[in-house]
């Protein structure tokens, strides 16, 4: 999770809903437990921290679900780190970035991820967890 997502519930509720970041985290951890999936739920407002997490993830995790938030539209560094991560990756956005301001319609990461979920509110995270579980399960058959 990228910048300002820690302010969910406070910021632009018309775009992001009323769910708080901690509620979102709890919902995601609950779903991952139901599916017996190990989930690390992190957020940073600092681009370099996100790059470091992605780099470390290739040693530890079978996939990445990322909401890069505003860095989606600006960060070549996050894009490059995701491109190096050769496992499944799902891009998530609470709002539909393709139905917003012109500058938000360009994702620098969409072409290096496995797939994306946009505009489904906080439910998009749950859909991404389910999808990642199925992708990894099918790869391990």
């Amino acid at each position: 999770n990228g910048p300002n997502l820690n302010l969910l519930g406070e910021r632009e509720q018309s775009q992001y809903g009323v769910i708080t970041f901690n509620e979102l985290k709890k919902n995601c951890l609950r779903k991952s437990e139901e599916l017996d999936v190990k989930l690390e739920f992190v957020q940073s407002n600092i681009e370099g921290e996100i790059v470091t997490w992605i780099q470390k993830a290739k040693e530890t995790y079978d996939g990445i679900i990322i909401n890069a938030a505003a860095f989606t539209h600006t960060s070549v560094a996050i894009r490059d780190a995701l491109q190096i991560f050769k496992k499944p990756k799902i891009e998530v956005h609470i709002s539909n970035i393709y139905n917003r301001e012109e500058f938000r319609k360009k994702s620098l990461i969409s072409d290096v991820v496995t797939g994306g979920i946009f505009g489904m509110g906080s439910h998009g995270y749950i859909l991404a967890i389910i999808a990642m579980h199925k992708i990894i399960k099918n790869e391990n058959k």
Side-chain angles (χ1 to χ4, degrees):
N1 290 286
N4 297 312
L5 288 169
N6 56 308
L7 298 177
L8 286 176
E10 298 175 43
R11 62 180 296 222
E12 300 170 285
Q13 292 182 353
S14 63
Q15 289 291 338
Y16 303 107
V18 297
I19 193 169
T20 67
F21 183 77
N22 284 334
E23 291 168 334
L24 176 62
K25 182 176 181 177
K26 285 179 193 174
N27 291 346
C28 290
L29 290 171
R30 187 177 315 118
K31 178 51 78 176
S32 67
E33 286 175 17
E34 286 174 19
L35 297 173
D36 195 28
V37 170
K38 180 182 177 186
L39 176 72
E40 183 178 359
F41 198 91
V42 295
Q43 186 276 331
S44 179
N45 295 316
I46 302 168
E47 181 181 22
E49 285 183 359
I50 296 170
V51 170
T52 300
W53 285 331
I54 294 167
Q55 291 173 354
K56 288 181 179 178
K58 67 182 183 166
E59 307 299 325
T60 310
Y61 295 102
D62 295 325
I64 291 175
I65 297 169
I66 184 166
N67 182 343
F71 290 142
T72 300
H73 321 290
T74 63
S75 180
V76 173
I78 290 173
R79 181 194 188 285
D80 289 349
L82 286 168
Q83 190 170 19
I84 293 166
F85 186 89
K86 298 299 183 193
K87 300 173 186 177
K89 302 166 287 258
I90 299 175
E91 178 182 4
V92 173
H93 294 285
I94 294 170
S95 67
N96 182 349
I97 63 172
Y98 300 105
N99 193 26
R100 296 198 53 194
E101 304 94 334
E102 200 58 40
F103 71 91
R104 292 189 200 272
K105 293 179 182 181
K106 174 66 176 161
S107 168
L108 296 182
I109 65 176
S110 286
D111 66 329
V112 297
V113 297
T114 309
I117 300 172
F118 312 98
M120 303 303 291
S122 61
H123 303 294
Y125 282 80
I126 302 302
L127 295 171
I129 292 167
I130 294 166
M132 184 64 73
H133 176 254
K134 289 181 184 278
I135 291 167
I136 292 169
K137 190 173 168 185
N138 286 338
E139 285 183 353
N140 292 330
K141 281 187 176 182

